[in-house]
Amino acid sequence: MRTRLSCAVRASLLAMTIAGGAAAAERPAPQRLLVVGGLIRTETGWSRAMVVDGGVIGYLGDERTARRRAGPRAAVLDLKGATVLPGLVDSHVHPLFAGLTEMNCRLPVNGTSPQIREAIRQCVAKAPKGEWIRGGNWVAASFAAGEQGRAFLDAIVPDNPVALDDEALHSLWVNSRALQLAGIDRNTPNPPGGIIERDAAGEPTGLLRESATRLITKVVPPDSLERRKAAIKWAADHMLSQGITAFTVASIRDPDIEPFAQLTREGLVKQRIRGCIVWETQDGDQKATGERLIAARAQYETDRFKPDCVKIFMDGVPTESHTGAMLAPYADHTDDDRRPPKGLLLPNLAELNPAVARFDRMGLSVKFHAAGDAAVRAAIDAIAFARNANGQTGPMHVVAHSTFVDPADTDRLGPLNGVWEFSPYIWYPTPIASVDILKAVGPERMHRWIPIADILRTGALAVAGSDWPVVPSVDPWLALETLVTRQRPGGSPEALGAGQAIDRENALRLLTINGARAMRLDRAVGTLSVGRKADFIVTRENPLSSPVHDVHKTRVWLTFINGENVFRHPESAAVISSGDRAR
């Protein structure tokens, strides 16, 4: 799923994207473009030709009329049988984290314990003594019981502090040196909304959950602004290569907001972007930072970046950490278990509802991180409170992840003009879902794992997001296929929540017009129709008609935003031609 790059290649790529972006920003879109020679997916079906004038779709229909409308001076894009689709929308992604992940110590996806040990050894060999080693992407399923802890890391890395994220980005695995630098010992209490895992003697094991991870991250040297810009630029360019023309940054904090503002203002990042500013009730520093960024959001807004969304974490994740908030106890909870039996509901609920009503009055959408069914219910309750206080005409609020939804809550969000968001792209068998989460919640609850089909039957608005780099690939074609099959890409005997599979048309809507609507962009983009902006992609295959188990192989040849060609696959010239004038 992921193309692995060497550290040297990654560093070179990141440097080139910043340098090369300025030149790309200077190339204006052609005034008029004629697209012919393939199938074009429109709002109502398929067309054979399209005319783009000044970045706006001026005509869709037959080729003869399109050529007449375009005139002799138009540039021509001959598809030679390729397919044109609307630009895709990723409704939940973390570009800064994704780019930094490529630059840090990368563990093998779903690697075994020996493979993880060897990957860490290689990272240590390249690091100066005493320098922090960051990175990760581990899952608990890779380790034997009791194997994963600080002793595992201490044996490999005695002199460097180590902090490795789990796949969900809700836990940290650290060594003794990192614990020492953070001042964490047996006497350190669990912070509000966090867990310091301890052994039978009460000593920290080296695993920290949720807000406890900040005890470590606050002592890690921050990345420079230029490094953060390079990370975001690399991630945004990679998303262009996948056909993603708009996305929502699911958690905006101090490190993200300035580089996004600069990169979009300078024209180096092309996509239409929403940013969700993190706000919390439990953490005083994060709450204050969130209030400051919300108050100052206008100074960061650009024509492509709108920080008009607030992010609130309702819970953690329903993995072995037991931090996702559930209505019923975890299936593997025991009487001597130190983990919370029903997980963690993170906000102060007495403060949450008035805050959501305030943001609603300000015209700010709220994106709730809600993985467990108890968190989902509390998020819907908060939206209902805001609607009762302010009326039904406020902005759409989003219940994100929606991993587990109690059947009693399935019909509640649509009438509140809310949005169901399903992320990450793990609605097919993977170790984190099929091993860690299955063990934690039990097989019965896994039947309704990410219940997309149930939600669509209610008529409510639903969108999809990758949550990259929580998943190792931002690939939307993998998502499109597995939304339909619920099997591994390419097909597998096993499926995950097979009863929640949907058809291709609905899957594409989640990734296009539905996503645009949730971002308040649906009047401009999301479908290809006359009068809308020319955000479109050209694909080698037609993912709506190719064999379903091949959909993940779909390749994007070209990506356009506002009629500007912002990505071209190196092999596309062999099958797609551009001309200076209409024939």
Side-chain angles (χ1 to χ4, degrees), residues 72-100:
R73 302 184 62 82
V76 179
L77 176 61
D78 186 350
L79 300 170
K80 295 187 176 178
T83 300
V84 173
L85 299 169
L88 304 182
V89 180
D90 190 325
S91 294
H92 193 120
V93 68
H94 303 278
L96 175 61
F97 296 156
L100 290 176

Side-chain angles (χ1 to χ4, degrees), residues 65-190:
T65 305
R67 287 186 178 278
R68 187 175 70 251
R69 293 278 191 96
R73 302 184 62 82
V76 179
L77 176 61
D78 186 350
L79 300 170
K80 295 187 176 178
T83 300
V84 173
L85 299 169
L88 304 182
V89 180
D90 190 325
S91 294
H92 193 120
V93 68
H94 303 278
L96 175 61
F97 296 156
L100 290 176
T101 294
E102 287 295 329
M103 302 163 77
N104 291 332
C105 180
R106 187 73 184 164
L107 303 183
V109 177
N110 300 326
T112 63
S113 174
Q115 289 171 333
I116 289 172
R117 181 182 287 109
E118 179 56 28
I120 296 170
R121 287 188 195 281
Q122 292 180 18
C123 294
V124 173
K126 300 170 187 173
K129 185 176 180 178
E131 183 178 276
W132 278 86
I133 295 174
R134 293 295 316 272
N137 196 52
W138 55 266
V139 296
S142 298
F143 302 93
E147 181 182 18
Q148 188 185 17
R150 56 190 169 91
F152 185 105
L153 294 175
D154 290 346
I156 311 168
V157 201
D159 301 317
N160 296 65
V162 181
L164 301 174
D165 292 292
D166 74 324
E167 186 174 287
L169 295 179
H170 281 256
S171 297
L172 269 182
W173 177 26
V174 302
N175 65 351
S176 295
R177 180 62 178 147
L179 291 170
Q180 180 185 21
L181 289 174
I184 300 172
D185 58 26
R186 62 180 297 116
N187 298 313
T188 306
N190 286 337

Side-chain angles (χ1 to χ4, degrees), residues 311-535:
K311 174 70 172 291
I312 299 177
F313 286 88
M314 300 298 292
D315 67 344
V317 287
T319 63
E320 82 290 343
S321 68
H322 286 198
T323 59
M326 305 298 290
L327 293 169
Y330 279 88
D332 62 346
H333 186 78
T334 60
D335 291 340
D336 60 349
D337 204 328
R338 293 173 178 264
R339 299 169 296 181
K342 295 184 181 181
L344 295 173
L345 196 57
L346 298 177
N348 177 339
L349 295 182
E351 193 174 347
L352 173 70
N353 288 356
V356 173
R358 174 166 62 94
F359 297 140
D360 182 77
R361 286 192 300 273
M362 296 168 67
L364 295 170
S365 293
V366 178
K367 182 187 282 284
F368 298 89
H369 169 109
D373 50 13
V376 169
R377 178 169 294 179
I380 297 173
D381 289 344
I383 296 171
F385 181 91
R387 296 293 186 234
N388 288 333
N390 303 329
Q392 300 295 317
T393 59
M396 289 186 292
H397 305 301
V398 182
V399 180
H401 303 305
S402 307
T403 312
F404 295 102
V405 181
D406 189 87
D409 294 319
T410 301
D411 292 308
R412 295 182 61 205
L413 191 56
L416 296 172
N417 195 27
V419 182
W420 291 101
E421 180 229 286
F422 298 104
S423 65
Y425 295 159
I426 51 172
W427 32 68
Y428 58 94
T430 65
I432 192 172
S434 304
V435 179
D436 291 344
I437 296 176
L438 171 62
K439 180 182 177 182
V441 306
E444 184 60 34
R445 282 184 277 200
M446 291 301 287
H447 289 309
R448 296 186 70 253
W449 166 259
I450 310 186
I452 302 175
D454 287 355
I455 296 302
L456 290 184
R457 281 191 283 269
T458 72
L461 181 64
V463 300
S466 66
D467 208 6
W468 186 49
V470 169
V471 289
S473 173
V474 74
D475 188 346
W477 310 107
L478 175 155
L480 184 63
E481 177 182 320
T482 58
L483 278 167
V484 176
T485 67
R486 288 285 181 144
Q487 300 170 15
R488 294 189 186 97
S492 62
E494 307 85 12
L496 195 61
Q500 298 300 324
I502 61 176
D503 62 45
R504 288 192 230 194
E505 293 286 350
N506 274 311
L508 184 62
R509 288 185 65 83
L510 262 63
L511 296 165
T512 53
I513 185 59
N514 288 15
R517 183 180 172 197
M519 288 180 65
R520 304 178 184 176
L521 294 173
D522 53 309
R523 293 186 178 182
V525 298
T527 63
L528 300 183
S529 57
V530 173
R532 277 189 164 91
K533 299 287 188 180
D535 289 15

